[in-house]
């Protein structure tokens, strides 16, 4: 049409609001989204991934999208073409038709596709937990009737616990190695950090052994009839301190028959995909525990091992080779003649409004008035909202600039000559304007994830596609120096280098490390002791054959690395005294962990460290000033504390911190007192 809206129009009268108008406007919006052309493929891709296809084929997405649009899926039996079945009610978005199109697709029923190493994927943590609960008979305790707080702690995900509007992981995340080389994604793999693996596995094991409780690394609550209590004694196996437990009993009347018991667990927990070597290994562990500790111990040992197998954690075909025990990823030796240096990259995810951080000062006259007119009365930084900095010598149209007063300590760091502001930079593969960028630009300039990826790669022309700028730096420096590549909380594309160098990235929780599987089964014999069971765990995750699934291989290597890292890092961190960085926020915890690791640089035997951190909260489409204030206050106080710590450590001049965001935002405000996605002042 002739006219268009920058933001959707509203028919809600803010002067005389009526509840029915809010319902009607929401219904109209939902109808618009539901009927949008992109909804069928978008929904189908998401559902296919939940069904185990991390990289669904175009034909799968097409067939599912057609079922979404028509509300009908017709399936013909491959064995009898005369048998034709129709699913769905003929209405757009019919879930019966959509589900049938996924479950009866050629990829779902083909044994040949299952053998493809790239088929399937890594399971999401919450799906693994619900699978465990459903499969092994989740049973509520009669003396616990509260429904709040059923799950505390974390397995990487939690019901209704999404960290932000962007989900638990990036939909286009691709780990280094076979996935990156094949152009495949594995979104769930972004959660495979050392601490997440250790804490989630501990939670699964304690669920089997002690029921649903927060005790000893579990994930349940600590309450009884509304009163919080200690863990107490578990020696009688009564589950009295648990709100629920797993009530599974093998159907075989002969519990000494390990093959029958493991076959049933195999069917329940891996859809009968347990490889022959791994199945034999678990049967052997079951038999030993049965003979030494009895049937209850043997069953718990078998369940714990099943929950450690790559077959449980992935939907890949697994072909282990037990003759080759998997070892942790090796680290090269430190060059003792080269002093230490580090880079800390802090990503402000969401598209930070840079003009709320740095702007022309009122003394700039015409430049300030132009800025004020563009920002509007609600968003411009007035004289009582700023501190000024000297910009002389920086080739700017004014010698004095304004920094948001909530970043006063950052302004002081700048004034001390230890900080610099970069403005109006970003991804651009050719000169464009707001009139032709859509035709001339080969990327999605307003997509959070796409532009974050571009900012991490810094590779506009795809010359080193699949690698990050910090990873490439690590490749070069790693030729003669010992490198530490460390992501805090979750892996990051900007640390991934050339796969030929195979540099290990350590993913470390900002809160440190838990001990792995440190509590024995109650009354365990030597065969059921955690130290014995751990050896079976390592064997289950042995090296695999070349035709084994790449997701399963990724899980097993990450698992073995996690066990090694949790022990080595945990013992080192225990020797570091507390640091003076407040841990009242995610950023504080991240920077405190980074500081501890820097203090351990000699023990870790590194010449160079590259750290990757991310915090969110910057996608401020409304109430911009109120929304950014707590984030700026947080950044300001934590950066000051970081500087003080590094100065005291004597390495302030050897550490560079870089803060970036995936894109800027529009100079002008929107109708909600915020700003929208923008670039280059547009």
């Amino acid at each position: 049409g002739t006219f268009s809206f920058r933001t959707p129009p509203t028919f809600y009268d803010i002067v005389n609001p009526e509840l029915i108008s809010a319902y009607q406007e929401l219904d109209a919006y939902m109808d618009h989204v539901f009927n949008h052309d992109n909804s069928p493929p978008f929904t189908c891709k998401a559902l296919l991934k939940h069904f185990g296809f991390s990289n669904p084929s175009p034909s799968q997405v097409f067939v599912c999208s057609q079922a979404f649009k028509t509300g009908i899926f017709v399936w013909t039996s491959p064995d009898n073409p005369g048998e034709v079945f129709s699913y769905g009610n003929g209405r757009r978005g019919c879930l019966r038709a959509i589900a049938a199109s996924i479950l009866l697709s050629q990829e779902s029923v083909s044994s040949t596709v299952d053998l493809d190493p790239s088929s399937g994927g890594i399971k999401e943590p919450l799906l693994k937990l619900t699978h465990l609960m459903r499969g092994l008979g989740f049973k509520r305790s009669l003396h616990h009737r509260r429904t709040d707080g059923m799950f505390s702690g974390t397995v990487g995900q939690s019901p209704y616990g999404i960290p932000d509007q962007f989900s638990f992981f990036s939909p286009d995340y691709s780990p280094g190695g076979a996935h990156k080389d094949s152009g495949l994604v594995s979104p769930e793999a972004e959660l495979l950090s050392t601490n997440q693996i250790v804490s989630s596995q501990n939670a699964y094991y304690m669920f089997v052994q002690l029921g649903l409780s927060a005790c000893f690394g579990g994930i349940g609550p600590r309450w009884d009839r509304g009163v919080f209590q200690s863990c107490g004694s578990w020696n009688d196996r009564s589950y009295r301190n648990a709100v629920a437990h797993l009530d599974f009993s093998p159907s075989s009347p002969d519990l000494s028959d390990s093959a029958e018991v493991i076959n049933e667990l195999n069917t329940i927990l891996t859809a009968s995909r347990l490889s022959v070597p791994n199945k034999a290994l678990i049967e052997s562990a079951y038999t030993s525990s049965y003979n030494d500790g009895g049937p209850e111990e043997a069953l718990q040992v078998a369940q714990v091992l099943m929950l450690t197998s790559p077959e449980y954690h992935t939907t890949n075909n697994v072909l282990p080779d037990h003759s080759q025990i998997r070892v942790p990823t090796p680290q090269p030796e430190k060059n003792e003649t080269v002093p230490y240096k580090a880079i800390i990259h802090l990503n402000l995810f969401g598209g930070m409004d840079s003009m709320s951080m740095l702007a022309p000062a009122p003394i700039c006259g015409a430049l300030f008035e132009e800025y004020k007119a563009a920002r509007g009365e609600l968003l411009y930084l007035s004289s009582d909202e700023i501190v000024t900095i000297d910009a002389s010598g920086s080739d700017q149209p004014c010698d004095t600039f304004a920094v948001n007063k909530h970043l006063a300590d950052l302004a002081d760091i700048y004034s001390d000559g230890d900080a610099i502001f970069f403005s109006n930079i970003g991804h651009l593969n050719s000169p464009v304007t707001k009139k032709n960028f859509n035709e001339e630009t080969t990327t999605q300039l307003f997509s959070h994830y796409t532009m974050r990826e571009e900012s991490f790669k810094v590779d506009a022309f795809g010359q080193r596609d699949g690698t990050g700028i910090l990873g490439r730096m690590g490749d070069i420096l790693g030729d003669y120096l010992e490198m530490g590549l460390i992501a805090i909380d979750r892996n990051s594309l900007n640390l991934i280098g050339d796969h030929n160098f195979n540099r290990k990235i350590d993913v470390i929780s900002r809160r440190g490390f838990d001990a792995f599987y440190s509590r024995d089964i109650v009354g365990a014999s030597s065969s059921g002791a955690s130290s014995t069971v751990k050896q079976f765990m390592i064997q289950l995750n042995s090296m695999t054959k070349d035709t084994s699934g790449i997701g399963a291989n990724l899980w097993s290597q990450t698992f073995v690395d996690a066990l090694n890292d949790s022990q080595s890092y945990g013992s080192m961190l225990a020797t570091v005294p507390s640091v003076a960085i407040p841990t009242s926020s995610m950023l504080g915890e991240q920077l405190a962990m980074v500081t501890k690791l820097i203090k351990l640089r000699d023990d870790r035997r590194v010449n160079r460290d590259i750290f990757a951190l991310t915090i969110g909260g910057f996608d401020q489409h409304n109430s911009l000033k109120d929304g950014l204030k707590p984030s700026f206050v947080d950044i300001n106080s934590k950066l000051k504390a970081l500087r003080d710590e590094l100065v005291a450590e004597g390495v302030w001049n050897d550490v560079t911190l870089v803060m970036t965001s995936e894109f800027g935002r529009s100079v002008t405000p929107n109708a909600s007192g915020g700003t929208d996605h923008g670039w280059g002042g547009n």
Side-chain angles (χ1 to χ4, degrees):
T2 305
F3 301 101
S4 62
F5 296 94
R6 172 174 163 180
T7 54
T10 178
F11 302 100
Y12 185 70
D13 190 341
I14 61 174
V15 178
N16 297 300
E18 293 184 86
L19 183 59
I20 187 63
S21 298
Y23 284 134
Q24 290 170 341
E25 186 161 318
L26 183 59
D27 285 344
Y29 173 74
M30 294 302 295
D31 285 343
H32 172 74
V33 172
F34 180 65
N35 289 290
H36 196 280
D37 291 343
N38 290 342
S39 290
F42 180 86
T43 304
C44 285
K45 283 183 178 180
L47 289 175
L48 282 161
K49 289 181 179 181
H50 285 306
F51 277 92
F53 296 97
S54 290
N55 297 273
S57 68
S59 64
Q60 280 180 291
V61 177
F62 175 78
V63 171
C64 178
S65 298
Q66 290 298 109
F68 185 109
K69 289 188 282 188
T70 64
I72 295 289
F73 175 72
V74 178
W75 181 73
T76 302
S77 171
D79 299 323
N80 185 358
E83 291 186 347
V84 179
F85 300 88
S86 179
Y87 301 89
N89 57 14
R91 297 174 59 184
R92 181 182 176 90
C94 175
L95 284 176
R96 181 178 176 85
I98 294 171
S101 74
I102 295 173
L103 295 174
L104 296 175
S105 67
Q106 183 177 358
E107 289 84 350
S108 293
V109 300
S110 171
S111 58
T112 302
V113 172
D114 284 341
L115 298 177
D116 185 342
S118 65
S119 177
I122 293 173
K123 294 181 185 175
E124 295 182 39
L126 195 55
L127 292 182
K128 290 186 284 192
L129 178 60
T130 54
H131 187 177
L132 170 64
M133 294 166 63
R134 287 178 173 175
L136 298 185
F138 178 82
K139 184 178 181 179
R140 289 287 299 271
S141 301
L142 292 176
H143 57 289
H144 289 292
R145 288 301 182 191
R146 288 176 56 171
T147 56
D148 62 303
M150 284 290 288
F151 298 101
S152 61
T154 180
V155 292
Q157 291 177 303
S158 60
Y160 309 110
I162 185 171
D164 52 41
Q165 70 268 39
F166 303 109
S167 187
F168 295 97
F169 39 70
S170 306
D172 53 0
Y173 176 74
S174 180
H179 285 86
K180 185 67 69 176
D181 295 343
S182 304
L184 302 174
V185 300
S186 181
E188 306 81 6
E190 192 172 12
L191 300 181
L192 293 184
S193 67
T194 295
N195 203 67
Q196 190 275 323
I197 288 177
V198 171
S199 62
S200 61
Q201 289 302 115
N202 283 345
Y204 300 145
Y205 304 153
M206 291 305 102
F207 203 165
V208 168
Q209 296 176 195
L210 304 176
L212 188 63
S213 167
C215 296
F216 311 113
I219 54 174
R222 276 198 185 105
W223 45 251
D224 180 27
R225 299 183 185 277
V227 179
F228 282 81
Q229 62 174 33
S230 64
C231 289
S233 173
W234 296 84
N235 293 332
D236 60 0
R237 302 180 181 179
S238 66
Y239 300 114
R240 67 174 179 270
N241 296 315
V243 300
H245 63 278
L246 300 173
D247 197 37
F248 171 77
S249 294
S251 58
S252 173
D254 182 7
L255 296 184
S256 66
D257 189 340
S258 62
E260 283 296 317
V261 174
I262 303 307
N263 271 336
E264 187 172 0
L265 286 174
N266 183 21
T267 300
I268 293 171
L269 294 176
T270 73
S272 298
R273 293 183 304 103
L274 199 62
S275 63
V276 173
N278 281 354
K279 183 171 178 290
L281 187 69
I282 297 176
E283 288 177 5
S284 172
Y286 178 93
T287 299
S288 296
S289 289
Y290 185 92
N291 293 335
D292 295 343
E296 188 169 352
E297 175 187 310
L299 183 60
Q300 290 194 6
V301 166
Q303 291 171 340
V304 163
L305 291 176
M306 292 288 293
L307 297 176
T308 312
S309 69
E311 291 92 338
Y312 177 72
H313 290 275
T314 71
T315 54
N316 279 152
N317 183 44
V318 183
L319 300 173
D321 180 0
H322 287 179
S323 67
Q324 299 186 65
I325 297 299
R326 191 180 295 270
V327 296
T329 303
Q331 296 279 30
E333 289 297 317
K334 177 183 178 182
N335 186 331
E336 299 289 353
T337 65
V338 179
Y340 177 80
K341 293 184 183 295
I343 294 175
I344 306 170
H345 176 236
L346 173 58
N347 174 48
L348 310 180
F349 186 55
M352 197 271 291
D353 186 273
S354 57
M355 285 204 167
S356 292
M357 175 183 281
L358 179 70
I363 198 174
C364 292
L367 180 63
F368 174 77
E369 293 302 324
E370 181 183 358
Y371 152 77
K372 179 179 177 181
R375 294 292 276 178
E377 291 294 329
L378 288 177
L379 297 189
Y380 89 97
L381 294 176
S382 62
S383 56
D384 60 350
E385 295 177 305
I386 62 169
V387 293
T388 58
I389 58 173
D390 182 5
S392 59
S394 60
D395 196 27
Q396 295 295 321
C398 183
D399 288 341
T400 304
F401 268 71
V403 174
N404 193 301
K405 69 176 183 180
H406 300 303
L407 294 167
D409 289 316
L410 176 59
D412 289 342
I413 294 174
Y414 169 89
S415 298
D416 291 341
D418 288 335
I420 188 170
F421 291 96
F422 290 90
S423 184
N424 201 22
I425 62 171
H427 178 84
L428 192 68
N429 51 23
S430 65
V432 294
T433 68
K434 65 181 180 181
K435 294 181 179 180
N436 67 359
F437 77 89
N438 203 34
E439 295 79 18
E440 298 295 329
T441 306
T442 59
T443 191
Q444 301 175 48
L445 288 174
F446 302 103
S447 164
H448 288 285
Y449 285 114
T450 301
M451 293 312 296
R452 183 178 68 173
E453 180 178 335
E454 296 291 0
S455 70
F456 284 177
K457 292 193 300 187
V458 192
D459 185 22
F461 299 101
Q463 294 173 312
R464 298 289 300 278
D465 197 32
T467 64
I469 178 65
L470 297 179
R472 297 196 296 272
M473 291 174 62
D475 288 343
I476 296 172
L477 294 172
D479 278 346
Y480 62 99
L481 299 175
E482 166 57 350
M483 291 295 306
L485 298 172
I486 298 176
I488 304 298
D489 287 337
R490 61 175 57 194
N491 211 334
S492 181
L493 168 62
N494 57 357
L495 294 179
I496 296 177
D498 191 319
H499 73 277
N500 291 312
F501 295 105
N502 194 30
R503 305 206 189 280
K504 180 172 174 280
I505 299 172
D506 291 332
V507 184
I508 298 176
S509 168
R510 64 187 186 275
R511 294 173 180 169
F513 294 89
D514 299 322
F516 176 73
Y517 195 34
S518 58
R519 184 175 177 83
D520 288 342
I521 293 170
V522 175
S525 67
S526 59
S527 296
S530 61
S531 57
T532 303
V533 176
K534 286 178 186 176
Q535 299 306 310
F536 284 107
M537 292 176 176
I538 298 298
Q539 283 186 278
L540 284 172
N541 290 279
S542 297
M543 296 298 290
T544 54
K545 299 177 181 179
D546 292 340
T547 52
S548 186
I550 60 175
N553 188 61
L554 175 64
W555 156 259
S556 292
Q557 188 62 58
T558 310
F559 173 77
V560 170
D561 285 342
L563 267 59
N564 178 71
D565 290 346
S566 64
Q567 183 175 2
S568 60
Y569 275 113
S571 59
M572 285 189 290
L573 287 168
T575 67
V576 181
S578 60
V579 297
I581 298 177
T583 55
S584 54
S585 67
M586 177 185 289
L587 177 60
E589 290 177 321
Q590 290 183 335
L591 290 177
M593 177 53 68
V594 167
T595 303
K596 291 178 181 179
L597 293 170
I598 290 175
K599 287 175 179 285
L600 289 168
R601 59 193 180 277
D602 291 333
D603 296 299
R604 293 170 42 237
R605 300 187 57 76
V606 292
N607 301 112
R608 297 288 185 269
D609 268 327
I610 301 179
F611 300 97
L613 293 66
T614 291
I615 58 172
F618 296 91
D619 193 19
Q620 299 292 334
H621 287 279
N622 58 351
S623 304
L624 179 67
K625 285 187 176 180
D626 291 338
L628 283 181
K629 178 181 175 180
S631 296
F632 281 174
V633 170
D634 186 36
I635 290 172
N636 188 64
S637 63
K638 304 310 185 294
L639 289 187
K640 180 181 184 301
L642 175 69
R643 179 188 62 175
D644 293 345
E645 278 284 345
L646 296 184
V647 168
E649 184 67 14
V651 294
W652 173 242
N653 291 329
D654 300 315
V655 178
T656 299
L657 184 142
V658 182
M659 286 194 301
T660 66
S661 196
E662 67 267 27
F663 49 59
R665 305 188 78 85
S666 56
V667 178
T668 55
N670 59 29
S672 301
T675 53
D676 298 320
H677 303 180
W679 53 273
N682 296 286

